[in-house]
Amino acid sequence: MARIPIFLMGLVVIWAALAEAEYMIYKDATKPLNSRIKDLMSRMTLEEKIGQMTQIERGVASAEVMKDYFIGSVLSGGGSVPTKQASAETWINMVNEFQKGALSTRLGIPMIYGIDAVHGHNNVYKATIFPHNVGLGATRQVCRDPRWGRCYESYSEDPKLVQAMTDIVSGLQGDIPANSSKGVPFVAGKTKVAACAKHYVGDGGTTKGINENNTQISRHGLLSIHMPGYYNSIIKGVSTVMVSYSSWNGVKMHANRDMVTGFLKNILRFKGFVISDWEGIDRITSPPHANYSYSIQAGISAGIDMIMVPNNYKEFIDGLTSHVKNKVIPMSRIDDAVTRILRVKFTMGLFENPLADNSLVNELGSQEHRELAREAVRKSLVLLKNGESAAEPLLPLPKKATKILVAGSHADNLGYQCGGWTIEWQGLGGNNLTSGTTILTAIQNTVDPSTEIVYKENPDADFVKSNNFSYAIVVVGEPPYAETFGDSLSLTISEPGPSTIQNVCGTIKCVTVIISGRPVVIQPYVSLMDALVAAWLPGSEGQGVADVLFGDYGFTGTLSQTWFKTVDQLPMNIGDRHYDPLFPFGFGLTTKPTKTI
């Protein structure tokens, strides 16, 4: 038997090692973005491409699943956490475990982690909870009817105000360079995140404000009222756009090729990726998931690039694979989707820095963040009434008083003042959900040490009369809710709020603070109140409410939504011919800071 010389065997081994360590353009951060995308795409199998288009929920994810199915993205649904009251380190370890699974695949494509950070990192225990958008300006959508259960996720009924608030995109992603091409996503490094503009398009204009319903409006109306926020978001380099559950003139947005591919991608030249909502393609049919094969075909053909499956990923992967192999969906559509997903991942720097680290752990719930949220609360409050006349205002309140009554279901309830999308999807009541300051505690922190504070959630009129209070602060409103669970045709303050207002404000001087995600019915009670404040859903920093009530800062907020008299008037928006509000869009009384006690 012939012997192979040892030096030749060595050369074979070295050659094999060199071949294995082949230079790959996509791994070279110095190469142009498009060259990296093209190189990686040329190496990918159909299986790997479809995996990139699949987003699964963390509850069904594991390192093994990531590796075996080439999963492109994992998300936390509302309230989905690694453990109850999980620390930042626990979150990091979980995400990195999934990421290591993705990196162990043949091509090592990192996954992207998605989360609903609606008003701060609201799934995370002890994170700072900011006011909901309705208070900040007031999501990319425009709320045209407060009966909608997601109205608090909208900045305003006014598209111009929504456009202005797209500055949040730059806050999340960083300021896009002046020479950037329009529509190309931009993320300025590892301390920034990819933003998502949602829900595309018209979800705030559905009939009677019913969530996931039909928006009946002309194309001109859709583009002039509901689209402007997307124009600005795309100019600012937003990375992703999420499609709405709702329909436009009877066509489901998740199946609307004209609006997703034709308008968003081709006319607006959006180059990031389009993602479905949770089980969004399932809901193309009624009942949902009745014909999933058709739903996959309709959603992908419409131009959706990544599907938030989120649980039955094998069914989605098998269904989409079958459609491609049977030429129902062309390979060009798959390549468009994956190119867009990879563009965002390369832009984020995930290939260079795929793993999360502990460098920012101490920033979670930091004092700096809480001070910023507190400032946001102060500026979001809208003063709707202040005394029976301008000559006799009640606010700002004196800090030094004999005895102050604080009443109402929302005065000492952190969960109520944070609202939905806080720790749990639907939010929680009580004070044990996360860290923060209730409005009652804020009042106690603010008044003079000699002032007695009496708290009674729902006092009767006799109690109020017999205690010789200097004045009262009543804090009432809506319970927490999210999405469809918040749809309401009545828009009433929850009991016992109305009776608390009657018993307290009908007896002594009072200021009423309304905690709500939208305008609610208050006309029957306004005459009883000496002062009225719309505080929206202020979040964890209730001290911001006391800051303004007691005059450390002045009221400056104005209504970003029209406050109606009765629900029979709805929908009613600024500019309507029948516009006859209780308080018009843009209304807000002001006060000046005072040093007096």
Side-chain angles (χ1 to χ4, degrees), residues 189-490:
K190 60 186 292 188
T191 61
K192 298 294 184 179
V193 295
C196 181
K198 62 181 190 175
H199 303 85
Y200 185 84
V201 59
D203 60 341
T206 59
T207 303
K208 294 186 178 180
I210 298 170
N211 194 40
E212 304 181 22
N213 205 262
N214 186 32
T215 298
Q216 294 179 288
I217 194 170
S218 67
R219 186 178 183 89
H220 173 74
L222 186 78
L223 299 188
S224 62
I225 294 172
H226 297 282
M227 195 67 77
Y230 293 95
Y231 302 150
N232 288 54
S233 297
I234 291 166
I235 289 168
K236 288 178 168 72
V238 74
S239 296
T240 66
V241 172
M242 186 181 293
V243 180
S244 176
Y245 287 128
S246 60
S247 302
W248 174 40
N249 295 338
V251 179
K252 290 273 189 181
M253 284 306 307
H254 274 77
N256 195 326
R257 178 176 169 79
D258 173 51
M259 292 308 298
V260 176
T261 297
F263 196 82
L264 179 62
K265 290 184 173 182
N266 294 344
I267 294 177
L268 298 187
R269 296 168 63 192
F270 173 63
K271 294 294 192 292
F273 70 81
V274 178
I275 186 165
S276 82
D277 208 330
W278 177 283
E279 294 180 349
I281 63 168
D282 303 51
R283 302 185 200 189
I284 289 172
T285 60
S286 184
H289 207 83
N291 185 345
Y292 196 55
S293 176
Y294 167 74
S295 290
I296 294 170
Q297 177 191 344
I300 299 297
S301 297
I304 301 173
D305 303 310
M306 183 182 284
I307 302 297
M308 192 186 300
V309 178
N311 296 313
N312 299 321
Y313 56 90
K314 294 179 188 176
E315 182 183 16
F316 169 72
I317 289 169
D318 289 346
L320 181 53
T321 303
S322 173
H323 282 325
V324 176
K325 287 185 173 176
N326 291 322
K327 296 186 168 40
V328 175
I329 293 174
M331 197 66 201
S332 59
R333 174 73 272 271
I334 302 300
D335 287 344
D336 171 60
V338 180
T339 295
R340 291 167 175 275
I341 292 164
L342 294 179
R343 182 178 291 125
V344 171
K345 291 183 176 184
F346 279 122
T347 301
M348 291 179 72
L350 281 176
F351 283 80
E352 289 69 53
N353 294 293
L355 298 174
D357 62 51
N358 290 351
S359 60
L360 297 175
V361 160
N362 293 331
E363 294 289 316
L364 183 70
S366 69
Q367 192 58 36
E368 182 184 1
H369 292 177
R370 294 192 182 281
E371 288 298 332
L372 184 62
R374 181 175 169 180
E375 178 187 353
V377 173
R378 291 195 294 263
K379 292 179 176 177
S380 70
L381 302 178
V382 182
L383 182 57
L384 299 175
K385 181 179 179 181
N386 191 16
E388 291 306 318
S389 70
E392 297 181 42
L394 178 63
L395 301 176
L397 297 168
K399 294 179 183 178
K400 194 166 187 176
T402 308
K403 188 160 50 171
I404 302 170
L405 172 63
V406 179
S409 51
H410 290 56
D412 190 32
N413 198 309
L414 187 65
Y416 281 9
Q417 74 188 45
C418 287
W421 289 108
T422 307
I423 304 301
E424 297 283 351
W425 174 39
Q426 293 296 321
L428 295 162
N431 293 331
N432 297 321
L433 68 165
T434 192
S435 299
T437 304
T438 68
I439 294 169
L440 173 63
T441 301
I443 293 167
Q444 292 167 335
N445 291 343
T446 304
V447 297
D448 188 86
S450 66
T451 300
E452 182 184 354
I453 299 288
V454 175
Y455 171 63
K456 197 164 180 66
E457 186 173 323
N458 187 29
D460 58 38
D462 290 339
F463 174 85
V464 178
K465 283 176 190 169
S466 62
N467 268 279
N468 198 29
F469 292 111
S470 305
Y471 59 82
I473 302 170
V474 175
V475 190
V476 293
E478 295 185 299
Y481 56 80
E483 300 192 28
T484 306
F485 293 90
D487 287 356
S488 171
L489 296 177
S490 61

Side-chain angles (χ1 to χ4, degrees), residues 69-84:
Y69 294 91
F70 311 101
I71 299 296
S73 181
V74 181
L75 86 150
S76 278
S80 179
V81 298
T83 58
K84 191 175 181 182

Side-chain angles (χ1 to χ4, degrees), residues 396-397 399 446 546-554 591-595:
L397 297 168
K399 294 179 183 178
T446 304
D547 286 344
V548 185
L549 287 179
F550 290 96
D552 290 334
Y553 295 82
T591 60
K592 290 188 173 148
T594 176
K595 298 289 184 185

